[in-house]
Amino acid sequence: MTLPPTHVWLNALLLGLQSVQAALLWALHALGIAGETHGAPAWPWGSRIAGENLIIDVALARQFAWTLAALAFAIACVLIAIFWRRARRWLIVAAVASLVAAPWPSSSLWLTAAVPTSFHTNPSGFTVGSIARGSHVYSAQCAACHGADGRGEGPQAAALRRWPPTMASALLSRRADGELFWHVLYGMRDDAGVTMPGFTGRLSDKEIWAALDYMRVLSASAGMAAGGSWPVPIALPALTVTCGDAPARSLSQWRGTQRVRVVAVDARHPAPFEDPRFLTLLIRRDETAVFDTRLRALPGATAGVRRVSAPLADGLRATARPAIATTVASNATTLGARADCLADSPDAWPVFAQIAGTTPAELAGTEWLADRDGWLRALAPAGKRGWADGGLLCTTASVGALLTSPAAPDPLSATLRQMDNEPVRFIKGGFVH
C-alpha cells in the first residue's frame, strides 16, 4: 500500500490537533469551566500539545498518530461492545491489544508548557498601521536589549545574565502569538531568576500586539541581512488599496483568490504594466513625485506625473516624461494598461523596506510576489533581475526576449507555478497558518 506523502498526513494531524484543542477550550469556556483573560478564553492547563515538536520530528509525529489511532480504535470497540453482547469478549480483547501495541511516545516529547493566552491570536490583523505603531514601541521599550536590528545585541545586552534571543531565529518566530504576548506582559524567568522583565502597567495589550507585529517584520529584515532570505514565512501586511476611480478596499479582499505583486515606485521606477497572472499593488513614498497610477497605456498616450513634490516634478518634465512616453507607445498594444492599484498608507514604504532588508532610500524598484493565501514568497531587489527567497529562486528573462520569442522559457511563470504547487504550511505554536 502506498502511503500519502508526509506533508499530507502531517498537515492533517496538526490541523486536527489544533481544531480539537480550540474546540475544547471554547466548550470549557461556554460551560463556565474555563475563565477569560485579555478578552478571550483562558487555557486552563499548564500544558498543551506541542505541534512545533511534531513538525520537526516526523518519527515522533508518526508514533503519536499511531497512538491516537489505537486509542480511537479501542474506544470504538468499547462502545460497540456495550450494545453487541455476543461479541463483547472479542471486542474488549481487541481494544486492550490495540492499546498494548500502540507506541505511546513519552509525554515530555509531545507536551509543552502553556500559559492562559496560549491559544490567543493577534487581533491586530498584521496591518501596516499596527506594524508602524509597533516600531515605536519596540524602539522605546525593547531595542536597548534586543538591539535596533533585532539580533539581541543592544547596548544593555552585555549587562544581562543571559543574552536576548535574536529575532532572526526561526525558533523564536514559531512560538505561539499568545505565549509571546504573555511573556512580554509578565516577563520570563528561570531557576536562577528573571531573564526578561515584564511590561505590565507600562504597555497596553494593543501596544504589545503591535510590537509583536513589528517583531515579525524585524525578523524578516534580520534574516535578509544575515542570509539573504526570510527565516520564517511572512504574510503580506494588510492595508487599504485604491484602484483607479473605484472605492477604497481592503487588501484582505484579494486573499484566497489572487496572487499579488507589490512594486515600490518612484520617479525613476514608474508603475509597471499589468500582468494577468497577478494583481499589482504599488507603494510609493509621499515625499517624492511618482507617476500617475491611474494612467492607462493607450496607443499614443503619454505618461502623467502626479505632483507630490513640486521641485522634483518640475525636473521630471524635462527628463523622465519623454522616455516614458516612448515606452508606453511601444508597449501599449502588447502589455495593455499600467497598474493602478495604490497602497493608501504612508507607512507602507518603510514597512516594506524592512521586509526587503534595505533602507527606505534604496527601496524604489523592489518587487515582491505573494501567493493566493497571502504569504510573501519571492523578492526581486532593486537593480537585480530575479526572484528569490528561501524556497523560490529563478532568474527572470528580459521583457524584450519574451516579446520577441513567445516560445522562450518564462522563469516567472515557473516561480508562480511553484508557489501554487508548494503552499506554505507554517507551524507557529502548533497551529498551521
Side-chain angles (χ1 to χ4, degrees):
M1 181 178 69
T2 301
L3 295 176
T6 299
H7 70 276
V8 174
W9 68 262
L10 187 53
N11 285 336
L13 174 65
L14 294 171
L15 284 170
L17 294 175
Q18 170 188 343
S19 301
V20 168
Q21 290 181 101
L24 177 61
L25 175 58
W26 283 100
L28 293 176
H29 182 258
L31 294 173
I33 299 175
E36 188 172 294
T37 182
H38 299 280
W43 184 250
W45 296 293
S47 300
R48 61 171 176 82
I49 297 175
E52 59 269 42
N53 293 348
L54 299 179
I55 194 67
I56 294 173
D57 190 342
V58 178
L60 172 64
R62 188 175 289 109
Q63 290 180 346
F64 190 78
W66 280 116
T67 299
L68 289 179
L71 185 60
F73 177 78
I75 293 174
C77 287
V78 171
L79 293 176
I80 295 174
I82 295 175
F83 301 99
W84 193 5
R85 295 183 179 181
R86 293 180 58 184
R88 180 174 297 173
R89 179 182 301 177
W90 298 110
L91 288 169
I92 296 299
V93 170
V96 173
S98 68
L99 294 177
V100 171
W104 294 104
S106 172
S107 61
S108 63
L109 299 177
W110 56 270
L111 285 178
T112 190
V115 296
T117 58
S118 283
F119 288 83
H120 290 199
T121 56
N122 193 330
S124 72
F126 195 60
T127 66
V128 165
S130 178
I131 295 169
R133 288 192 298 271
S135 68
H136 298 298
V137 175
Y138 182 90
S139 297
Q141 304 291 341
C142 312
C145 295
H146 289 277
D149 59 0
R151 299 186 61 82
E153 300 174 352
Q156 297 181 15
L160 302 176
R161 182 170 55 83
R162 178 182 297 178
W163 281 85
T166 173
M167 298 296 173
S169 169
L171 182 62
L172 178 63
S173 299
R174 285 176 177 168
R175 295 291 297 272
D177 286 346
E179 292 177 356
L180 292 174
F181 170 86
W182 185 269
H183 293 318
V184 172
L185 190 60
Y186 297 107
M188 300 179 68
R189 60 186 307 115
D190 58 16
D191 294 338
V194 175
T195 59
M196 188 185 85
F199 289 85
T200 303
R202 286 191 283 171
L203 293 177
S204 66
D205 289 3
K206 186 175 182 179
E207 288 174 321
I208 294 177
W209 287 122
L212 293 177
D213 277 343
Y214 177 70
M215 288 179 191
R216 294 193 210 177
V217 173
L218 197 59
S219 174
S221 179
M224 289 298 297
S229 65
W230 298 309
V232 293
I234 182 169
L236 177 61
L239 44 75
T240 302
V241 178
T242 302
C243 298
D245 296 323
R249 70 185 74 180
S250 172
L251 181 64
S252 61
Q253 294 182 5
W254 292 349
R255 188 159 298 168
T257 59
Q258 299 286 351
R259 306 185 193 98
V260 179
R261 172 180 62 174
V262 182
V263 183
V265 298
D266 69 356
R268 295 187 177 182
H269 302 84
F273 290 95
E274 268 294 9
D275 191 312
R277 294 172 292 185
F278 38 68
L279 292 173
T280 299
L281 172 64
L282 309 177
I283 59 173
R284 63 181 175 85
R285 191 166 42 181
D286 280 349
E287 303 82 47
T288 65
V290 300
F291 301 102
D292 189 352
T293 58
R294 293 192 174 97
L295 173 71
R296 295 298 179 177
L298 300 174
T302 57
V305 176
R306 174 172 296 171
R307 187 188 298 265
V308 181
S309 173
L312 183 56
D314 292 336
L316 287 172
R317 291 191 183 95
T319 57
R321 178 173 285 185
I324 297 165
T326 302
T327 302
V328 171
S330 61
N331 293 331
T333 58
T334 303
L335 297 178
R338 285 191 180 274
D340 72 345
C341 289
L342 184 67
D344 191 14
S345 172
D347 296 318
W349 191 272
V351 167
F352 276 90
Q354 281 210 293
I355 293 175
T358 188
T359 63
E362 298 174 340
L363 182 64
T366 303
E367 300 186 21
W368 300 258
L369 285 176
D371 61 23
R372 290 184 172 91
D373 295 326
W375 293 104
L376 288 171
R377 303 294 303 275
L379 169 69
K384 296 182 181 179
R385 302 197 63 81
W387 296 96
D389 76 348
L392 295 169
L393 178 63
C394 71
T395 302
T396 56
S398 66
V399 174
L402 293 176
L403 294 178
T404 57
S405 178
D410 182 359
L412 177 55
S413 293
T415 299
L416 294 173
R417 284 195 297 270
Q418 187 178 357
M419 287 168 51
D420 292 342
N421 295 334
E422 300 176 11
V424 171
R425 293 292 182 263
F426 178 45
I427 308 302
K428 188 175 179 67
F431 288 82
V432 182
H433 289 64

mmCIF file of all heavy atoms in Angstrom, residues 311-357:
data_model
loop_
_atom_site.group_PDB
_atom_site.id
_atom_site.type_symbol
_atom_site.label_atom_id
_atom_site.label_comp_id
_atom_site.label_asym_id
_atom_site.label_seq_id
_atom_site.Cartn_x
_atom_site.Cartn_y
_atom_site.Cartn_z
ATOM 1 N N PRO A 311 9.180 70.796 -6.758
ATOM 2 C CA PRO A 311 10.506 70.944 -7.378
ATOM 3 C C PRO A 311 10.919 69.700 -8.143
ATOM 4 O O PRO A 311 11.469 69.785 -9.243
ATOM 5 C CB PRO A 311 11.427 71.198 -6.171
ATOM 6 C CG PRO A 311 10.512 71.755 -5.123
ATOM 7 C CD PRO A 311 9.215 71.054 -5.321
ATOM 8 N N LEU A 312 10.699 68.527 -7.572
ATOM 9 C CA LEU A 312 11.096 67.309 -8.256
ATOM 10 C C LEU A 312 10.243 67.069 -9.492
ATOM 11 O O LEU A 312 10.722 66.629 -10.533
ATOM 12 C CB LEU A 312 10.985 66.116 -7.298
ATOM 13 C CG LEU A 312 11.442 64.759 -7.848
ATOM 14 C CD1 LEU A 312 12.875 64.870 -8.349
ATOM 15 C CD2 LEU A 312 11.328 63.700 -6.775
ATOM 16 N N ALA A 313 8.956 67.408 -9.410
ATOM 17 C CA ALA A 313 8.074 67.232 -10.561
ATOM 18 C C ALA A 313 8.527 68.109 -11.721
ATOM 19 O O ALA A 313 8.462 67.704 -12.882
ATOM 20 C CB ALA A 313 6.631 67.563 -10.184
ATOM 21 N N ASP A 314 9.003 69.329 -11.422
ATOM 22 C CA ASP A 314 9.475 70.205 -12.481
ATOM 23 C C ASP A 314 10.670 69.596 -13.209
ATOM 24 O O ASP A 314 10.804 69.700 -14.433
ATOM 25 C CB ASP A 314 9.870 71.573 -11.895
ATOM 26 C CG ASP A 314 8.649 72.324 -11.389
ATOM 27 O OD1 ASP A 314 7.529 72.037 -11.869
ATOM 28 O OD2 ASP A 314 8.828 73.200 -10.514
ATOM 29 N N GLY A 315 11.550 68.959 -12.440
ATOM 30 C CA GLY A 315 12.702 68.324 -13.061
ATOM 31 C C GLY A 315 12.313 67.134 -13.906
ATOM 32 O O GLY A 315 12.956 66.834 -14.916
ATOM 33 N N LEU A 316 11.288 66.430 -13.479
ATOM 34 C CA LEU A 316 10.857 65.235 -14.218
ATOM 35 C C LEU A 316 10.327 65.583 -15.597
ATOM 36 O O LEU A 316 10.471 64.807 -16.543
ATOM 37 C CB LEU A 316 9.779 64.500 -13.434
ATOM 38 C CG LEU A 316 10.257 63.745 -12.195
ATOM 39 C CD1 LEU A 316 9.057 63.240 -11.426
ATOM 40 C CD2 LEU A 316 11.153 62.601 -12.610
ATOM 41 N N ARG A 317 9.687 66.755 -15.735
ATOM 42 C CA ARG A 317 9.082 67.102 -17.012
ATOM 43 C C ARG A 317 10.128 67.111 -18.131
ATOM 44 O O ARG A 317 9.840 66.762 -19.271
ATOM 45 C CB ARG A 317 8.417 68.480 -16.914
ATOM 46 C CG ARG A 317 7.191 68.494 -16.025
ATOM 47 C CD ARG A 317 6.435 69.813 -16.185
ATOM 48 N NE ARG A 317 5.306 69.865 -15.281
ATOM 49 C CZ ARG A 317 5.351 70.447 -14.091
ATOM 50 N NH1 ARG A 317 6.457 71.005 -13.674
ATOM 51 N NH2 ARG A 317 4.280 70.456 -13.326
ATOM 52 N N ALA A 318 11.334 67.553 -17.775
ATOM 53 C CA ALA A 318 12.349 67.704 -18.805
ATOM 54 C C ALA A 318 13.106 66.413 -19.106
ATOM 55 O O ALA A 318 13.694 66.272 -20.168
ATOM 56 C CB ALA A 318 13.359 68.777 -18.380
ATOM 57 N N THR A 319 13.103 65.458 -18.159
ATOM 58 C CA THR A 319 13.940 64.271 -18.337
ATOM 59 C C THR A 319 13.151 62.981 -18.444
ATOM 60 O O THR A 319 13.343 62.197 -19.369
ATOM 61 C CB THR A 319 14.920 64.153 -17.155
ATOM 62 O OG1 THR A 319 14.172 64.106 -15.937
ATOM 63 C CG2 THR A 319 15.871 65.333 -17.122
ATOM 64 N N ALA A 320 12.259 62.743 -17.515
ATOM 65 C CA ALA A 320 11.620 61.431 -17.432
ATOM 66 C C ALA A 320 10.489 61.259 -18.425
ATOM 67 O O ALA A 320 10.339 60.213 -19.026
ATOM 68 C CB ALA A 320 11.108 61.192 -16.013
ATOM 69 N N ARG A 321 9.677 62.317 -18.629
ATOM 70 C CA ARG A 321 8.451 62.149 -19.415
ATOM 71 C C ARG A 321 8.703 61.687 -20.849
ATOM 72 O O ARG A 321 8.029 60.781 -21.321
ATOM 73 C CB ARG A 321 7.647 63.446 -19.385
ATOM 74 C CG ARG A 321 6.383 63.350 -20.228
ATOM 75 C CD ARG A 321 5.507 64.577 -20.070
ATOM 76 N NE ARG A 321 4.824 64.549 -18.794
ATOM 77 C CZ ARG A 321 3.916 65.460 -18.452
ATOM 78 N NH1 ARG A 321 3.609 66.442 -19.258
ATOM 79 N NH2 ARG A 321 3.336 65.385 -17.277
ATOM 80 N N PRO A 322 9.656 62.216 -21.592
ATOM 81 C CA PRO A 322 9.838 61.738 -22.959
ATOM 82 C C PRO A 322 10.175 60.255 -23.021
ATOM 83 O O PRO A 322 9.674 59.531 -23.869
ATOM 84 C CB PRO A 322 10.998 62.605 -23.476
ATOM 85 C CG PRO A 322 10.962 63.827 -22.633
ATOM 86 C CD PRO A 322 10.526 63.366 -21.282
ATOM 87 N N ALA A 323 11.034 59.787 -22.116
ATOM 88 C CA ALA A 323 11.419 58.381 -22.149
ATOM 89 C C ALA A 323 10.246 57.487 -21.844
ATOM 90 O O ALA A 323 10.063 56.433 -22.466
ATOM 91 C CB ALA A 323 12.551 58.144 -21.140
ATOM 92 N N ILE A 324 9.424 57.901 -20.898
ATOM 93 C CA ILE A 324 8.281 57.073 -20.527
ATOM 94 C C ILE A 324 7.239 57.068 -21.629
ATOM 95 O O ILE A 324 6.603 56.052 -21.911
ATOM 96 C CB ILE A 324 7.677 57.585 -19.218
ATOM 97 C CG1 ILE A 324 8.718 57.448 -18.119
ATOM 98 C CG2 ILE A 324 6.434 56.804 -18.839
ATOM 99 C CD1 ILE A 324 8.390 58.228 -16.900
ATOM 100 N N ALA A 325 7.055 58.211 -22.260
ATOM 101 C CA ALA A 325 6.092 58.269 -23.356
ATOM 102 C C ALA A 325 6.483 57.298 -24.460
ATOM 103 O O ALA A 325 5.639 56.615 -25.044
ATOM 104 C CB ALA A 325 6.028 59.697 -23.911
ATOM 105 N N THR A 326 7.793 57.191 -24.743
ATOM 106 C CA THR A 326 8.252 56.245 -25.762
ATOM 107 C C THR A 326 7.977 54.813 -25.342
ATOM 108 O O THR A 326 7.536 53.983 -26.134
ATOM 109 C CB THR A 326 9.760 56.443 -26.000
ATOM 110 O OG1 THR A 326 9.994 57.779 -26.403
ATOM 111 C CG2 THR A 326 10.263 55.478 -27.053
ATOM 112 N N THR A 327 8.234 54.512 -24.051
ATOM 113 C CA THR A 327 7.993 53.162 -23.541
ATOM 114 C C THR A 327 6.524 52.803 -23.625
ATOM 115 O O THR A 327 6.155 51.697 -24.031
ATOM 116 C CB THR A 327 8.461 53.061 -22.078
ATOM 117 O OG1 THR A 327 9.845 53.393 -22.021
ATOM 118 C CG2 THR A 327 8.257 51.653 -21.535
ATOM 119 N N VAL A 328 5.669 53.749 -23.259
ATOM 120 C CA VAL A 328 4.229 53.499 -23.315
ATOM 121 C C VAL A 328 3.780 53.230 -24.743
ATOM 122 O O VAL A 328 3.023 52.303 -25.016
ATOM 123 C CB VAL A 328 3.458 54.688 -22.714
ATOM 124 C CG1 VAL A 328 1.969 54.531 -22.958
ATOM 125 C CG2 VAL A 328 3.745 54.796 -21.225
ATOM 126 N N ALA A 329 4.246 54.051 -25.665
ATOM 127 C CA ALA A 329 3.819 53.893 -27.051
ATOM 128 C C ALA A 329 4.246 52.561 -27.633
ATOM 129 O O ALA A 329 3.524 51.944 -28.408
ATOM 130 C CB ALA A 329 4.388 55.042 -27.899
ATOM 131 N N SER A 330 5.453 52.072 -27.228
ATOM 132 C CA SER A 330 5.963 50.844 -27.823
ATOM 133 C C SER A 330 5.364 49.603 -27.197
ATOM 134 O O SER A 330 5.297 48.558 -27.844
ATOM 135 C CB SER A 330 7.486 50.794 -27.681
ATOM 136 O OG SER A 330 7.842 50.802 -26.309
ATOM 137 N N ASN A 331 4.940 49.684 -25.947
ATOM 138 C CA ASN A 331 4.463 48.500 -25.240
ATOM 139 C C ASN A 331 2.961 48.457 -25.038
ATOM 140 O O ASN A 331 2.430 47.452 -24.586
ATOM 141 C CB ASN A 331 5.130 48.402 -23.863
ATOM 142 C CG ASN A 331 6.614 48.131 -23.967
ATOM 143 O OD1 ASN A 331 7.066 47.517 -24.919
ATOM 144 N ND2 ASN A 331 7.368 48.592 -22.982
ATOM 145 N N ALA A 332 2.265 49.537 -25.363
ATOM 146 C CA ALA A 332 0.841 49.621 -25.031
ATOM 147 C C ALA A 332 0.034 48.505 -25.656
ATOM 148 O O ALA A 332 -0.786 47.874 -25.003
ATOM 149 C CB ALA A 332 0.289 50.976 -25.463
ATOM 150 N N THR A 333 0.252 48.255 -26.928
ATOM 151 C CA THR A 333 -0.587 47.264 -27.607
ATOM 152 C C THR A 333 -0.263 45.848 -27.174
ATOM 153 O O THR A 333 -1.087 44.944 -27.320
ATOM 154 C CB THR A 333 -0.389 47.387 -29.129
ATOM 155 O OG1 THR A 333 1.003 47.206 -29.437
ATOM 156 C CG2 THR A 333 -0.853 48.749 -29.617
ATOM 157 N N THR A 334 0.939 45.618 -26.625
ATOM 158 C CA THR A 334 1.337 44.273 -26.234
ATOM 159 C C THR A 334 0.984 43.965 -24.783
ATOM 160 O O THR A 334 0.445 42.910 -24.457
ATOM 161 C CB THR A 334 2.861 44.094 -26.424
ATOM 162 O OG1 THR A 334 3.183 44.377 -27.774
ATOM 163 C CG2 THR A 334 3.283 42.669 -26.071
ATOM 164 N N LEU A 335 1.280 44.880 -23.896
ATOM 165 C CA LEU A 335 1.128 44.614 -22.473
ATOM 166 C C LEU A 335 -0.112 45.251 -21.862
ATOM 167 O O LEU A 335 -0.441 44.971 -20.724
ATOM 168 C CB LEU A 335 2.380 45.107 -21.726
ATOM 169 C CG LEU A 335 3.690 44.405 -22.116
ATOM 170 C CD1 LEU A 335 4.856 45.004 -21.357
ATOM 171 C CD2 LEU A 335 3.602 42.919 -21.840
ATOM 172 N N GLY A 336 -0.795 46.112 -22.556
ATOM 173 C CA GLY A 336 -2.023 46.678 -22.022
ATOM 174 C C GLY A 336 -1.789 47.855 -21.104
ATOM 175 O O GLY A 336 -0.903 48.669 -21.326
ATOM 176 N N ALA A 337 -2.591 47.949 -20.029
ATOM 177 C CA ALA A 337 -2.593 49.131 -19.166
ATOM 178 C C ALA A 337 -1.563 49.031 -18.058
ATOM 179 O O ALA A 337 -1.159 47.954 -17.635
ATOM 180 C CB ALA A 337 -3.980 49.301 -18.552
ATOM 181 N N ARG A 338 -1.153 50.184 -17.587
ATOM 182 C CA ARG A 338 -0.278 50.213 -16.425
ATOM 183 C C ARG A 338 -1.075 49.902 -15.159
ATOM 184 O O ARG A 338 -2.266 50.178 -15.071
ATOM 185 C CB ARG A 338 0.395 51.580 -16.298
ATOM 186 C CG ARG A 338 1.518 51.805 -17.307
ATOM 187 C CD ARG A 338 2.318 53.049 -16.952
ATOM 188 N NE ARG A 338 3.388 53.284 -17.898
ATOM 189 C CZ ARG A 338 4.596 52.739 -17.829
ATOM 190 N NH1 ARG A 338 4.878 51.914 -16.844
ATOM 191 N NH2 ARG A 338 5.507 53.012 -18.731
ATOM 192 N N ALA A 339 -0.371 49.332 -14.194
ATOM 193 C CA ALA A 339 -1.002 49.022 -12.912
ATOM 194 C C ALA A 339 -1.483 50.303 -12.255
ATOM 195 O O ALA A 339 -0.825 51.337 -12.339
ATOM 196 C CB ALA A 339 -0.001 48.308 -12.007
ATOM 197 N N ASP A 340 -2.636 50.233 -11.593
ATOM 198 C CA ASP A 340 -3.164 51.455 -10.987
ATOM 199 C C ASP A 340 -3.698 51.239 -9.581
ATOM 200 O O ASP A 340 -4.412 52.083 -9.055
ATOM 201 C CB ASP A 340 -4.255 52.061 -11.873
ATOM 202 C CG ASP A 340 -5.535 51.232 -11.844
ATOM 203 O OD1 ASP A 340 -5.489 50.074 -11.388
ATOM 204 O OD2 ASP A 340 -6.583 51.750 -12.276
ATOM 205 N N CYS A 341 -3.360 50.128 -8.934
ATOM 206 C CA CYS A 341 -3.781 49.895 -7.545
ATOM 207 C C CYS A 341 -2.698 50.417 -6.615
ATOM 208 O O CYS A 341 -1.544 49.972 -6.668
ATOM 209 C CB CYS A 341 -4.049 48.413 -7.300
ATOM 210 S SG CYS A 341 -5.546 47.813 -8.124
ATOM 211 N N LEU A 342 -3.057 51.362 -5.764
ATOM 212 C CA LEU A 342 -2.096 52.067 -4.931
ATOM 213 C C LEU A 342 -2.355 51.796 -3.458
ATOM 214 O O LEU A 342 -3.502 51.829 -3.002
ATOM 215 C CB LEU A 342 -2.187 53.569 -5.201
ATOM 216 C CG LEU A 342 -1.190 54.479 -4.486
ATOM 217 C CD1 LEU A 342 0.219 54.225 -4.992
ATOM 218 C CD2 LEU A 342 -1.575 55.935 -4.696
ATOM 219 N N ALA A 343 -1.295 51.513 -2.711
ATOM 220 C CA ALA A 343 -1.391 51.340 -1.263
ATOM 221 C C ALA A 343 -1.680 52.683 -0.622
ATOM 222 O O ALA A 343 -0.901 53.627 -0.764
ATOM 223 C CB ALA A 343 -0.097 50.759 -0.712
ATOM 224 N N ASP A 344 -2.807 52.773 0.058
ATOM 225 C CA ASP A 344 -3.255 54.040 0.625
ATOM 226 C C ASP A 344 -2.762 54.171 2.064
ATOM 227 O O ASP A 344 -3.546 54.273 2.991
ATOM 228 C CB ASP A 344 -4.777 54.125 0.551
ATOM 229 C CG ASP A 344 -5.302 55.524 0.877
ATOM 230 O OD1 ASP A 344 -4.473 56.454 0.885
ATOM 231 O OD2 ASP A 344 -6.501 55.669 1.132
ATOM 232 N N SER A 345 -1.437 54.140 2.251
ATOM 233 C CA SER A 345 -0.869 54.248 3.594
ATOM 234 C C SER A 345 0.541 54.805 3.503
ATOM 235 O O SER A 345 1.389 54.241 2.808
ATOM 236 C CB SER A 345 -0.834 52.882 4.290
ATOM 237 O OG SER A 345 -0.121 52.960 5.506
ATOM 238 N N PRO A 346 0.830 55.889 4.202
ATOM 239 C CA PRO A 346 2.195 56.437 4.176
ATOM 240 C C PRO A 346 3.200 55.552 4.892
ATOM 241 O O PRO A 346 4.410 55.716 4.719
ATOM 242 C CB PRO A 346 2.037 57.793 4.891
ATOM 243 C CG PRO A 346 0.840 57.613 5.770
ATOM 244 C CD PRO A 346 -0.083 56.698 5.025
ATOM 245 N N ASP A 347 2.714 54.599 5.701
ATOM 246 C CA ASP A 347 3.613 53.721 6.435
ATOM 247 C C ASP A 347 4.060 52.517 5.606
ATOM 248 O O ASP A 347 4.947 51.764 6.036
ATOM 249 C CB ASP A 347 2.939 53.200 7.709
ATOM 250 C CG ASP A 347 2.629 54.312 8.694
ATOM 251 O OD1 ASP A 347 3.493 55.194 8.858
ATOM 252 O OD2 ASP A 347 1.536 54.298 9.299
ATOM 253 N N ALA A 348 3.449 52.294 4.451
ATOM 254 C CA ALA A 348 3.784 51.114 3.658
ATOM 255 C C ALA A 348 5.244 51.125 3.214
ATOM 256 O O ALA A 348 5.908 50.086 3.214
ATOM 257 C CB ALA A 348 2.856 51.013 2.449
ATOM 258 N N TRP A 349 5.752 52.283 2.819
ATOM 259 C CA TRP A 349 7.110 52.367 2.286
ATOM 260 C C TRP A 349 8.155 51.891 3.298
ATOM 261 O O TRP A 349 8.954 50.990 2.988
ATOM 262 C CB TRP A 349 7.397 53.788 1.816
ATOM 263 C CG TRP A 349 8.660 53.936 1.026
ATOM 264 C CD1 TRP A 349 9.916 54.172 1.507
ATOM 265 C CD2 TRP A 349 8.799 53.852 -0.398
ATOM 266 N NE1 TRP A 349 10.821 54.243 0.491
ATOM 267 C CE2 TRP A 349 10.166 54.057 -0.687
ATOM 268 C CE3 TRP A 349 7.909 53.639 -1.439
ATOM 269 C CZ2 TRP A 349 10.666 54.048 -2.002
ATOM 270 C CZ3 TRP A 349 8.398 53.621 -2.748
ATOM 271 C CH2 TRP A 349 9.751 53.826 -3.012
ATOM 272 N N PRO A 350 8.216 52.444 4.527
ATOM 273 C CA PRO A 350 9.235 51.961 5.474
ATOM 274 C C PRO A 350 9.005 50.523 5.918
ATOM 275 O O PRO A 350 9.966 49.795 6.183
ATOM 276 C CB PRO A 350 9.122 52.944 6.651
ATOM 277 C CG PRO A 350 7.772 53.554 6.524
ATOM 278 C CD PRO A 350 7.470 53.607 5.070
ATOM 279 N N VAL A 351 7.755 50.081 6.011
ATOM 280 C CA VAL A 351 7.482 48.698 6.409
ATOM 281 C C VAL A 351 8.011 47.725 5.370
ATOM 282 O O VAL A 351 8.703 46.748 5.693
ATOM 283 C CB VAL A 351 5.970 48.494 6.636
ATOM 284 C CG1 VAL A 351 5.642 47.003 6.734
ATOM 285 C CG2 VAL A 351 5.516 49.202 7.909
ATOM 286 N N PHE A 352 7.736 47.976 4.102
ATOM 287 C CA PHE A 352 8.209 47.078 3.052
ATOM 288 C C PHE A 352 9.720 47.179 2.871
ATOM 289 O O PHE A 352 10.357 46.206 2.442
ATOM 290 C CB PHE A 352 7.484 47.360 1.738
ATOM 291 C CG PHE A 352 6.156 46.676 1.633
ATOM 292 C CD1 PHE A 352 4.996 47.310 2.075
ATOM 293 C CD2 PHE A 352 6.055 45.395 1.126
ATOM 294 C CE1 PHE A 352 3.759 46.682 1.997
ATOM 295 C CE2 PHE A 352 4.826 44.752 1.036
ATOM 296 C CZ PHE A 352 3.677 45.390 1.480
ATOM 297 N N ALA A 353 10.302 48.318 3.202
ATOM 298 C CA ALA A 353 11.758 48.432 3.141
ATOM 299 C C ALA A 353 12.404 47.470 4.133
ATOM 300 O O ALA A 353 13.405 46.811 3.820
ATOM 301 C CB ALA A 353 12.184 49.869 3.419
ATOM 302 N N GLN A 354 11.833 47.371 5.329
ATOM 303 C CA GLN A 354 12.388 46.439 6.307
ATOM 304 C C GLN A 354 12.196 44.990 5.884
ATOM 305 O O GLN A 354 13.076 44.149 6.079
ATOM 306 C CB GLN A 354 11.756 46.677 7.678
ATOM 307 C CG GLN A 354 12.338 47.866 8.419
ATOM 308 C CD GLN A 354 12.294 47.683 9.928
ATOM 309 O OE1 GLN A 354 11.218 47.658 10.504
ATOM 310 N NE2 GLN A 354 13.444 47.561 10.557
ATOM 311 N N ILE A 355 11.043 44.682 5.317
ATOM 312 C CA ILE A 355 10.814 43.316 4.841
ATOM 313 C C ILE A 355 11.847 42.944 3.780
ATOM 314 O O ILE A 355 12.318 41.803 3.725
ATOM 315 C CB ILE A 355 9.381 43.167 4.291
ATOM 316 C CG1 ILE A 355 8.357 43.309 5.426
ATOM 317 C CG2 ILE A 355 9.204 41.824 3.588
ATOM 318 C CD1 ILE A 355 6.921 43.298 4.961
ATOM 319 N N ALA A 356 12.213 43.911 2.950
ATOM 320 C CA ALA A 356 13.202 43.666 1.896
ATOM 321 C C ALA A 356 14.625 43.686 2.420
ATOM 322 O O ALA A 356 15.565 43.355 1.685
ATOM 323 C CB ALA A 356 13.049 44.699 0.788
ATOM 324 N N GLY A 357 14.813 44.083 3.678
ATOM 325 C CA GLY A 357 16.149 44.145 4.246
ATOM 326 C C GLY A 357 16.992 45.266 3.684
ATOM 327 O O GLY A 357 18.220 45.150 3.579
#
